[in-house]
Tab-separated table of all heavy atoms in Angstrom:
chain	number	residue	atom	x	y	z
A	282	ILE	N	55.189	-132.963	-39.828
A	282	ILE	CA	54.987	-133.088	-41.281
A	282	ILE	C	56.280	-133.432	-41.965
A	282	ILE	O	56.367	-134.328	-42.814
A	282	ILE	CB	54.371	-131.789	-41.834
A	282	ILE	CG1	52.939	-131.622	-41.333
A	282	ILE	CG2	54.342	-131.824	-43.406
A	282	ILE	CD1	52.332	-130.253	-41.583
A	285	THR	N	57.152	-136.840	-41.416
A	285	THR	CA	56.323	-137.680	-42.259
A	285	THR	C	56.857	-137.677	-43.678
A	285	THR	O	57.048	-138.748	-44.288
A	285	THR	CB	54.866	-137.163	-42.240
A	285	THR	OG1	54.461	-136.987	-40.909
A	285	THR	CG2	53.901	-138.135	-42.953
A	286	ILE	N	57.103	-136.452	-44.156
A	286	ILE	CA	57.580	-136.323	-45.536
A	286	ILE	C	58.872	-137.086	-45.716
A	286	ILE	O	59.025	-137.931	-46.605
A	286	ILE	CB	57.748	-134.857	-45.921
A	286	ILE	CG1	56.386	-134.173	-46.074
A	286	ILE	CG2	58.523	-134.704	-47.267
A	286	ILE	CD1	56.408	-132.672	-46.187
A	289	THR	N	58.509	-140.778	-45.177
A	289	THR	CA	57.810	-141.340	-46.298
A	289	THR	C	58.733	-141.478	-47.489
A	289	THR	O	58.836	-142.529	-48.107
A	289	THR	CB	56.585	-140.469	-46.678
A	289	THR	OG1	55.802	-140.281	-45.524
A	289	THR	CG2	55.743	-141.094	-47.798
A	290	LEU	N	59.424	-140.383	-47.773
A	290	LEU	CA	60.349	-140.404	-48.905
A	290	LEU	C	61.401	-141.473	-48.712
A	290	LEU	O	61.774	-142.192	-49.646
A	290	LEU	CB	61.002	-139.019	-49.091
A	290	LEU	CG	60.125	-137.942	-49.760
A	290	LEU	CD1	60.828	-136.607	-49.726
A	290	LEU	CD2	59.847	-138.321	-51.203
A	293	ASN	N	59.382	-145.166	-47.701
A	293	ASN	CA	58.482	-145.712	-48.686
A	293	ASN	C	59.046	-145.663	-50.093
A	293	ASN	O	58.559	-146.347	-50.967
A	293	ASN	CB	57.121	-145.021	-48.659
A	293	ASN	CG	56.417	-145.225	-47.337
A	293	ASN	OD1	56.882	-145.999	-46.502
A	293	ASN	ND2	55.248	-144.639	-47.199
A	294	ILE	N	59.992	-144.840	-50.273
A	294	ILE	CA	60.504	-144.755	-51.651
A	294	ILE	C	61.973	-145.179	-51.691
A	294	ILE	O	62.310	-146.203	-52.272
A	294	ILE	CB	60.295	-143.362	-52.232
A	294	ILE	CG1	58.798	-143.082	-52.378
A	294	ILE	CG2	61.013	-143.218	-53.642
A	294	ILE	CD1	58.405	-141.704	-52.748
A	326	ILE	N	63.821	-134.607	-53.796
A	326	ILE	CA	62.763	-133.945	-52.995
A	326	ILE	C	63.211	-133.803	-51.554
A	326	ILE	O	63.108	-132.711	-50.957
A	326	ILE	CB	61.433	-134.729	-53.081
A	326	ILE	CG1	60.857	-134.657	-54.491
A	326	ILE	CG2	60.386	-134.192	-52.061
A	326	ILE	CD1	59.702	-135.650	-54.777
A	363	ASN	N	58.079	-133.374	-56.931
A	363	ASN	CA	57.030	-134.311	-56.542
A	363	ASN	C	56.133	-134.650	-57.746
A	363	ASN	O	55.699	-135.785	-57.906
A	363	ASN	CB	56.219	-133.697	-55.403
A	363	ASN	CG	55.611	-134.726	-54.499
A	363	ASN	OD1	56.125	-135.856	-54.419
A	363	ASN	ND2	54.474	-134.444	-53.886
A	364	LYS	N	55.893	-133.623	-58.587
A	364	LYS	CA	55.121	-133.848	-59.790
A	364	LYS	C	55.881	-134.785	-60.722
A	364	LYS	O	55.316	-135.697	-61.311
A	364	LYS	CB	54.807	-132.520	-60.489
A	364	LYS	CG	53.578	-131.830	-59.875
A	364	LYS	CD	53.421	-130.378	-60.476
A	364	LYS	CE	52.370	-129.653	-59.668
A	364	LYS	NZ	52.618	-128.212	-59.696
A	366	LEU	N	57.966	-136.870	-59.680
A	366	LEU	CA	57.984	-138.156	-58.993
A	366	LEU	C	56.793	-139.019	-59.412
A	366	LEU	O	56.977	-140.187	-59.692
A	366	LEU	CB	57.950	-137.912	-57.479
A	366	LEU	CG	58.063	-139.133	-56.561
A	366	LEU	CD1	59.466	-139.829	-56.718
A	366	LEU	CD2	57.835	-138.781	-55.110
A	367	ILE	N	55.657	-138.384	-59.425
A	367	ILE	CA	54.480	-139.163	-59.791
A	367	ILE	C	54.557	-139.683	-61.218
A	367	ILE	O	54.129	-140.810	-61.491
A	367	ILE	CB	53.174	-138.360	-59.501
A	367	ILE	CG1	51.935	-139.288	-59.479
A	367	ILE	CG2	52.922	-137.240	-60.499
A	367	ILE	CD1	51.903	-140.228	-58.351
A	368	ILE	N	55.146	-138.843	-62.056
A	368	ILE	CA	55.326	-139.295	-63.433
A	368	ILE	C	56.234	-140.529	-63.450
A	368	ILE	O	55.946	-141.537	-64.073
A	368	ILE	CB	55.882	-138.159	-64.305
A	368	ILE	CG1	54.833	-137.030	-64.441
A	368	ILE	CG2	56.314	-138.670	-65.722
A	368	ILE	CD1	55.371	-135.727	-64.902
A	370	ILE	N	56.867	-142.520	-60.977
A	370	ILE	CA	56.202	-143.639	-60.321
A	370	ILE	C	55.223	-144.292	-61.285
A	370	ILE	O	55.121	-145.493	-61.357
A	370	ILE	CB	55.504	-143.191	-59.040
A	370	ILE	CG1	56.544	-142.860	-57.954
A	370	ILE	CG2	54.530	-144.266	-58.469
A	370	ILE	CD1	56.004	-142.171	-56.743
A	371	ASN	N	54.565	-143.409	-61.964
A	371	ASN	CA	53.641	-143.890	-62.948
A	371	ASN	C	54.350	-144.734	-63.976
A	371	ASN	O	53.785	-145.641	-64.529
A	371	ASN	CB	52.863	-142.742	-63.575
A	371	ASN	CG	51.846	-142.160	-62.606
A	371	ASN	OD1	51.398	-142.850	-61.690
A	371	ASN	ND2	51.399	-140.978	-62.872
A	375	ASP	N	54.173	-148.326	-59.579
A	375	ASP	CA	54.202	-148.798	-58.181
A	375	ASP	C	53.133	-148.067	-57.414
A	375	ASP	O	53.204	-146.887	-57.173
A	375	ASP	CB	55.570	-148.574	-57.595
A	375	ASP	CG	55.789	-149.270	-56.289
A	375	ASP	OD1	54.811	-149.429	-55.481
A	375	ASP	OD2	56.910	-149.682	-56.016
A	376	GLN	N	52.153	-148.790	-56.991
A	376	GLN	CA	51.045	-148.153	-56.303
A	376	GLN	C	51.410	-147.619	-54.941
A	376	GLN	O	51.007	-146.562	-54.521
A	376	GLN	CB	49.882	-149.148	-56.197
A	376	GLN	CG	49.108	-149.213	-57.480
A	376	GLN	CD	47.810	-150.009	-57.247
A	376	GLN	OE1	47.667	-150.949	-56.392
A	376	GLN	NE2	46.764	-149.601	-58.026
A	377	ASP	N	52.216	-148.425	-54.258
A	377	ASP	CA	52.660	-147.999	-52.920
A	377	ASP	C	53.359	-146.654	-52.956
A	377	ASP	O	53.094	-145.774	-52.177
A	377	ASP	CB	53.590	-149.037	-52.318
A	377	ASP	CG	52.855	-150.314	-51.907
A	377	ASP	OD1	51.579	-150.242	-51.785
A	377	ASP	OD2	53.527	-151.321	-51.681
A	378	MET	N	54.174	-146.653	-53.965
A	378	MET	CA	54.925	-145.415	-54.096
A	378	MET	C	54.006	-144.265	-54.500
A	378	MET	O	54.186	-143.131	-54.108
A	378	MET	CB	56.071	-145.603	-55.080
A	378	MET	CG	57.217	-146.367	-54.388
A	378	MET	SD	58.702	-146.328	-55.362
A	378	MET	CE	59.634	-147.599	-54.506
A	379	GLY	N	53.024	-144.638	-55.278
A	379	GLY	CA	52.033	-143.607	-55.644
A	379	GLY	C	51.364	-143.046	-54.397
A	379	GLY	O	51.190	-141.867	-54.282
A	380	LYS	N	51.056	-143.967	-53.493
A	380	LYS	CA	50.477	-143.532	-52.239
A	380	LYS	C	51.416	-142.639	-51.468
A	380	LYS	O	51.065	-141.609	-50.945
A	380	LYS	CB	50.071	-144.730	-51.377
A	380	LYS	CG	48.752	-145.373	-51.797
A	380	LYS	CD	48.491	-146.589	-50.870
A	380	LYS	CE	47.263	-147.339	-51.383
A	380	LYS	NZ	47.105	-148.642	-50.702
A	381	ALA	N	52.675	-143.092	-51.458
A	381	ALA	CA	53.714	-142.297	-50.771
A	381	ALA	C	53.793	-140.880	-51.354
A	381	ALA	O	53.872	-139.896	-50.648
A	381	ALA	CB	55.054	-143.013	-50.863
A	382	HIS	N	53.710	-140.943	-52.718
A	382	HIS	CA	53.743	-139.620	-53.375
A	382	HIS	C	52.567	-138.748	-52.960
A	382	HIS	O	52.717	-137.595	-52.659
A	382	HIS	CB	53.718	-139.795	-54.900
A	382	HIS	CG	53.327	-138.527	-55.595
A	382	HIS	ND1	52.013	-138.295	-56.034
A	382	HIS	CD2	54.024	-137.397	-55.893
A	382	HIS	CE1	51.931	-137.071	-56.522
A	382	HIS	NE2	53.198	-136.504	-56.482
A	383	ASP	N	51.388	-139.366	-52.861
A	383	ASP	CA	50.227	-138.598	-52.457
A	383	ASP	C	50.395	-138.017	-51.047
A	383	ASP	O	50.103	-136.870	-50.789
A	383	ASP	CB	48.969	-139.478	-52.513
A	383	ASP	CG	48.617	-139.864	-53.959
A	383	ASP	OD1	49.153	-139.173	-54.894
A	383	ASP	OD2	47.852	-140.788	-54.123
A	384	ILE	N	50.930	-138.946	-50.185
A	384	ILE	CA	51.201	-138.471	-48.804
A	384	ILE	C	52.144	-137.280	-48.813
A	384	ILE	O	51.867	-136.251	-48.230
A	384	ILE	CB	51.775	-139.629	-47.946
A	384	ILE	CG1	50.711	-140.692	-47.694
A	384	ILE	CG2	52.301	-139.094	-46.597
A	384	ILE	CD1	51.269	-142.022	-47.132
A	385	VAL	N	53.229	-137.468	-49.558
A	385	VAL	CA	54.228	-136.370	-49.617
A	385	VAL	C	53.584	-135.094	-50.142
A	385	VAL	O	53.776	-134.014	-49.596
A	385	VAL	CB	55.433	-136.794	-50.455
A	385	VAL	CG1	56.341	-135.602	-50.764
A	385	VAL	CG2	56.244	-137.886	-49.729
A	386	GLU	N	52.797	-135.351	-51.197
A	386	GLU	CA	52.164	-134.173	-51.819
A	386	GLU	C	51.274	-133.462	-50.811
A	386	GLU	O	51.373	-132.256	-50.643
A	386	GLU	CB	51.342	-134.600	-53.036
A	386	GLU	CG	50.936	-133.403	-53.875
A	386	GLU	CD	50.265	-133.863	-55.186
A	386	GLU	OE1	49.611	-134.900	-55.237
A	386	GLU	OE2	50.444	-133.083	-56.160
A	387	SER	N	50.409	-134.256	-50.100
A	387	SER	CA	49.509	-133.613	-49.136
A	387	SER	C	50.270	-132.981	-47.983
A	387	SER	O	49.971	-131.896	-47.545
A	387	SER	CB	48.487	-134.635	-48.596
A	387	SER	OG	49.124	-135.624	-47.799
A	388	GLN	N	51.272	-133.774	-47.568
A	388	GLN	CA	52.058	-133.257	-46.451
A	388	GLN	C	52.793	-131.980	-46.810
A	388	GLN	O	52.875	-131.049	-46.050
A	388	GLN	CB	53.033	-134.331	-45.960
A	388	GLN	CG	52.350	-135.458	-45.201
A	388	GLN	CD	51.636	-135.024	-43.969
A	388	GLN	OE1	52.178	-134.327	-43.150
A	388	GLN	NE2	50.351	-135.402	-43.836
A	389	LEU	N	53.312	-131.988	-48.054
A	389	LEU	CA	53.998	-130.762	-48.499
A	389	LEU	C	53.032	-129.583	-48.463
A	389	LEU	O	53.388	-128.494	-48.026
A	389	LEU	CB	54.578	-130.939	-49.909
A	389	LEU	CG	55.967	-131.617	-49.978
A	389	LEU	CD1	56.357	-131.828	-51.458
A	389	LEU	CD2	57.033	-130.785	-49.309
A	390	ALA	N	51.810	-129.884	-48.958
A	390	ALA	CA	50.818	-128.805	-48.955
A	390	ALA	C	50.543	-128.328	-47.537
A	390	ALA	O	50.496	-127.156	-47.253
A	390	ALA	CB	49.530	-129.323	-49.622
A	391	ALA	N	50.356	-129.374	-46.642
A	391	ALA	CA	50.117	-129.024	-45.232
A	391	ALA	C	51.287	-128.202	-44.668
A	391	ALA	O	51.109	-127.223	-43.956
A	391	ALA	CB	49.915	-130.301	-44.406
Side-chain angles (χ1 to χ4, degrees):
Chain A
I282 291 168
T285 309
I286 289 168
T289 307
L290 283 173
N293 297 352
I294 295 172
I326 293 167
N363 208 24
K364 277 172 190 152
L366 184 65
I367 197 68
I368 293 162
I370 289 169
N371 288 335
D375 192 327
Q376 280 191 331
D377 289 342
M378 283 192 193
K380 281 178 186 169
H382 162 262
D383 293 343
I384 291 167
V385 168
E386 193 173 31
S387 67
Q388 287 299 311
L389 276 175

